[in-house]
Amino acid sequence: MKFRKFLSVLMAAVMLLGICVPMAGAEGSEDLSIMFIHDSHDYLYPTSNIVGGKLVEHGGAAKLATVIRENKDENTIFLDGGDFSMGTLYQAAYSTDAYELRNLGICGCNVTTFGNHEFDFGAAGAAKMLRAAIASGDRLPEIVQSNIDLSGDLTPEQLDFKKACEEYGVKENTIIECAGHKIGLFGLVGKSTIACIQTDFEYIDYIKAAKEQVKKLKEQGCDIIIAISHSGTAGDGKSGEDVDLAKKVPDIDVIISGHTHTVYSEPVIIGETIIVSCGEYLKNVGKLTVSAENGKVNVKNYKLIPLNASVAEDPETKERFERYKENINSTYLQPGETFDKVIAHSNFDFIGLDEMYNTHQEYPLGDLIADSYIYEAEQNGVNDIDVALVGLGTVRGAFEKGDITIADAFEICSLGVGSDGTAGHPLVSCYLYGWEIKLLTEIDASIGELVSSLKMSYSGLSYAFNSKRLILNKVMNSGIVKGNGEPEKIESNRLYKVVGNMYAINMLDMVRDVTKGMVSIAPRDENGSKIFDFYSLALKDKNGNEIKEWIAFKDYLESFETGPSGYPEIPDRYSAQQGRKVKVSKSIFEEIRENGFVPTVISVFTAAINVVLAIFNLLTRR
């Protein structure tokens, strides 16, 4: 009798637990489909790029709307992995109209997160964007973010951002019920993303934050847990911050991995965690279908849907973005200029951005941009620039053969914001000692092989480097080039005037951090004193306004001679390398044959000493 009573109590308890705690694979649950994008970077109109030597069309909000409509049903959620902003001329209205966030909502996005580029206009700009999105009255996605710490002492801008987040309803996590599942979602930024954010927030370690969020969501009965992580992977499926996240927080079922622009044609499985990425610029939409059975989430299907020329544009969405263009024309561009105005023509293709990242050489497009800096400076009365620098990390595309519009020119140099709060990096000038310029070429030659965004293009400077030499001793010769003349020897203790965009000049100061303190380059004034307020170095036009990098680029393109196309045509010299950065590959024996035994040995010995001193410097700093 007692046993029967015990059995009855036990059965009742099991039934009660069954009601209170949703179980994975419970009766009534179905397969869940997760559509996703990340790093769309304002590619709200179709564009094209050279990829693998071929012209590929991609992107566009109207095509995204079509694909989502055709593939999303009641068992599907749509997620975005951040960096939905900064990349095309639409970003000019980022803080005033929030086209990017509004488009996500209108297209049916359920949840997104912040990437680093959402803070390119600072915390104040992000706050304005959130409020502009709210004021639009459009359907908006939820935003989740769990490791930006807004709990301590905040600057006025950060406090305003916190209030804007509260007004919008930004949360650490959210729960969606779909296909019979209770799905918990949270957002993260990893260490590499944090290093790119231009606002000095405090952060919770992303692994610690993830563990806390998983615990909270499990306590609320979620049977599928998704991390929308703007942290990224190395692209090999074996390393990177989101791989580490999967290993250290194994109860995450799915990671939507943004930031590194990675494309995975198949899901990466780490333990029981599924990692997916679909690439940047709305080239693809990812669709992952999973089942949840016996506490485990399994891949049922996975595909990437290309947003290419075969996808029809949704008419309503296309018409809406044509109206947005008109707003950009009237509020951001100069009178007589329009989004689609043709300003130049190229008779040849430039090598694509993917090839630039995968090779280390002189880039003709980098030459073109660098030359535009000196051209624009001279047009505004600054005639004493010695060297112009362009970091590959701020080049966002490449021209193909054909007409070039204002929007195309902006796309190439689209990043950044000035002290005036408007889109585009300002051009900045400073001074460097000759020894710092030579060190810069060594860093380019040595570290550029490992960190592609640090590769440089130049105007007024040339050098050759041997890829087989030791680190920090790869440069064989370097010189300052005036006009079309022969390179002049760089004088180590002489100050040279240098111009770059705000990022490039900041990057000079960041060399110390990138090299872990081994080497340092400091932007200086004309007296050789270090400078810390880089906005004070911005070049100004004749009306006292900051000279924007993209405006300099546009003006230079418009300065060329008009050709048969009826537009200014990019000179043929930019169709090939001009000897500004020459890569060679010579063994020590080849160098001995060419230069003699003693000079080569001295060079190698000097390099070894440099490396030893650098390591010693690093250790003593630590």
Side-chain angles (χ1 to χ4, degrees):
M1 196 71 181
K2 289 183 178 180
F3 176 76
R4 287 183 180 178
K5 187 175 181 181
F6 169 77
L7 189 60
S8 298
V9 173
L10 181 62
M11 292 288 288
V14 170
M15 290 177 67
L16 183 61
L17 285 171
I19 293 170
C20 295
V21 182
M23 299 297 289
E27 186 178 350
S29 65
E30 301 181 48
D31 292 346
L32 171 72
S33 290
I34 305 162
M35 300 191 72
F36 63 92
I37 58 175
H38 53 85
D39 299 287
S40 52
H41 287 293
D42 261 309
Y43 276 77
L44 302 173
Y45 59 90
T47 188
S48 57
N49 289 108
I50 303 295
V51 180
K54 296 180 180 179
L55 184 64
V56 178
E57 182 179 306
H58 59 83
K63 293 188 177 187
L64 175 64
T66 296
V67 166
I68 298 300
R69 184 183 67 245
E70 292 178 350
N71 290 272
K72 190 174 188 283
D73 58 22
E74 68 276 5
N75 292 333
T76 305
I77 60 174
F78 173 27
L79 309 177
D80 173 72
D83 268 7
F84 46 77
S85 55
M86 305 299 142
T88 74
L89 194 48
Y90 279 119
Q91 77 187 52
Y94 173 74
S95 59
T96 57
D97 294 272
Y99 293 143
E100 307 89 343
L101 191 56
R102 290 164 60 189
N103 179 66
L104 285 174
I106 292 168
C107 285
C109 180
N110 298 94
V111 187
T112 185
T113 192
F114 295 120
N116 51 290
H117 284 289
E118 272 66 76
F119 298 99
D120 279 7
F121 281 55
K128 290 177 182 177
M129 181 272 295
L130 292 174
R131 292 190 175 110
I134 296 167
S136 72
D138 288 340
R139 180 196 183 281
L140 300 172
E142 288 192 79
I143 300 177
V144 289
Q145 212 305 312
S146 66
N147 69 317
I148 296 178
D149 187 355
L150 297 176
S151 63
D153 292 333
L154 303 175
T155 67
E157 280 194 358
Q158 291 170 349
L159 182 60
D160 186 48
F161 173 69
K162 180 180 180 179
K163 290 179 180 177
C165 286
E166 291 168 350
E167 293 165 22
Y168 187 97
V170 177
K171 298 182 290 185
E172 292 181 351
N173 62 58
T174 190
I175 296 174
I176 297 175
E177 294 190 9
C178 183
H181 299 285
K182 196 170 185 181
I183 307 151
L185 306 102
F186 64 96
L188 292 170
V189 287
K191 295 176 183 177
S192 60
T193 300
I194 290 169
C196 299
I197 292 177
Q198 299 182 35
T199 296
D200 192 21
F201 289 122
E202 294 294 325
Y203 298 90
I204 302 166
D205 177 75
Y206 81 115
I207 300 295
K208 179 182 178 181
K211 288 179 178 178
E212 182 180 344
Q213 295 306 314
V214 168
K215 182 175 182 290
K216 288 180 179 180
L217 292 168
K218 278 189 170 293
E219 288 173 349
Q220 295 179 73
C222 294
D223 62 306
I224 297 178
I225 295 180
I226 300 174
I228 307 177
S229 178
H230 200 80
S231 306
T233 68
D236 57 3
K238 299 177 181 178
S239 59
E241 291 186 85
D242 281 330
V243 172
D244 291 341
L245 177 64
K247 291 177 179 177
K248 294 176 181 178
V249 194
D251 285 338
I252 298 173
D253 297 304
V254 177
I255 298 175
I256 308 298
S257 179
H259 183 55
T260 50
H261 297 194
T262 304
V263 180
Y264 286 129
S265 58
E266 296 292 338
V268 171
I269 311 297
I270 305 294
E272 295 185 355
T273 301
I274 304 161
I275 302 177
V276 292
S277 295
C278 63
E280 78 282 17
Y281 302 163
L282 289 182
K283 291 176 180 176
N284 303 295
V285 177
K287 186 173 184 180
L288 169 70
T289 302
V290 299
S291 64
E293 300 170 345
N294 301 318
K296 182 180 178 182
V297 175
N298 299 297
V299 176
K300 296 296 290 291
N301 190 38
Y302 179 78
K303 63 179 179 179
L304 299 181
I305 306 169
L307 290 185
N308 55 26
S310 67
V311 178
E313 293 183 287
D314 176 69
E316 183 179 341
T317 306
K318 183 177 181 180
E319 192 277 332
R320 182 171 69 251
F321 276 89
E322 287 299 321
R323 294 199 307 270
Y324 294 167
K325 277 186 182 181
E326 291 304 316
N327 183 43
I328 298 290
N329 293 341
S330 61
T331 61
Y332 182 71
L333 298 179
Q334 296 295 317
E337 294 185 340
T338 62
F339 210 97
D340 299 316
K341 179 183 177 182
V342 177
I343 57 171
H345 182 89
S346 178
N347 293 311
F348 47 86
D349 292 329
F350 285 83
I351 64 172
L353 191 60
D354 62 332
E355 186 177 348
M356 285 191 268
Y357 268 86
N358 292 327
T359 61
H360 195 183
Q361 61 184 46
E362 178 184 347
Y363 307 118
L365 183 61
D367 294 345
L368 183 67
I369 298 170
D371 288 347
S372 75
Y373 295 176
I374 293 180
Y375 168 82
E376 192 73 6
E378 291 176 346
Q379 294 300 302
N380 287 278
V382 181
N383 299 297
D384 57 348
I385 303 293
D386 295 301
V387 177
L389 307 172
V390 177
L392 182 58
T394 60
V395 179
R396 307 300 282 183
F399 292 140
E400 61 265 7
K401 182 178 180 180
D403 293 342
I404 298 167
T405 66
I406 285 180
D408 294 332
F410 183 92
E411 179 185 332
I412 301 297
C413 302
S414 58
L415 294 186
V417 62
S419 60
D420 59 2
T422 62
H425 278 304
L427 290 185
V428 170
S429 69
C430 67
Y431 289 85
L432 295 178
Y433 282 110
W435 65 264
E436 291 177 303
I437 291 177
K438 288 188 282 188
L439 179 57
L440 178 64
T441 63
E442 287 287 6
I443 292 169
D444 181 10
S446 296
I447 301 176
E449 295 277 0
L450 306 173
V451 185
S452 289
S453 61
L454 294 181
K455 297 173 185 173
M456 303 291 291
S457 295
Y458 309 95
S459 183
L461 175 67
S462 68
Y463 77 89
F465 70 103
N466 185 352
S467 61
K468 289 188 176 182
R469 280 191 178 187
L470 291 173
I471 187 171
L472 297 181
N473 191 50
K474 293 181 181 292
V475 175
M476 299 165 63
N477 53 66
S478 58
I480 300 296
V481 181
K482 297 293 185 182
N484 296 319
E486 291 295 316
E488 301 173 1
K489 182 179 178 180
I490 298 174
E491 300 176 30
S492 294
N493 294 318
R494 175 184 164 185
L495 285 168
Y496 292 88
K497 193 168 186 177
V498 175
V499 65
N501 65 29
M502 178 63 74
Y503 178 86
I505 301 304
N506 258 304
M507 190 175 71
L508 297 178
D509 193 51
M510 290 162 53
V511 164
R512 177 182 60 256
D513 297 326
V514 172
T515 61
K516 306 298 183 183
M518 288 192 293
V519 292
S520 178
I521 297 174
R524 304 171 187 275
D525 62 20
E526 64 273 16
N527 298 314
S529 300
K530 293 181 181 180
I531 295 175
F532 301 97
D533 178 13
F534 295 148
Y535 279 112
S536 67
L537 307 177
L539 294 180
K540 302 294 179 66
D541 64 19
K542 295 174 181 177
N543 297 317
N545 301 312
E546 288 179 344
I547 298 177
K548 300 288 188 180
E549 175 191 28
W550 85 269
I551 293 289
F553 190 46
K554 175 189 74 72
D555 289 349
Y556 189 50
L557 292 172
E558 290 181 305
S559 74
F560 298 135
E561 185 176 342
T562 300
S565 66
Y567 300 105
E569 296 189 349
I570 298 176
D572 288 341
R573 66 178 179 272
Y574 291 110
S575 65
Q577 298 178 19
Q578 300 180 48
R580 301 185 187 188
K581 185 161 74 171
V582 180
K583 181 178 181 179
V584 298
S585 185
K586 296 180 180 180
S587 70
I588 189 171
F589 302 106
E590 291 174 298
E591 286 206 52
I592 289 173
R593 283 197 299 270
E594 288 186 12
N595 305 320
F597 179 80
V598 173
T600 303
V601 169
I602 290 174
S603 176
V604 171
F605 179 76
T606 301
I609 291 296
N610 286 339
V611 172
V612 169
L613 289 174
I615 293 172
F616 177 76
N617 184 35
L618 175 61
L619 292 174
T620 53
R621 281 173 182 267
R622 285 181 174 173

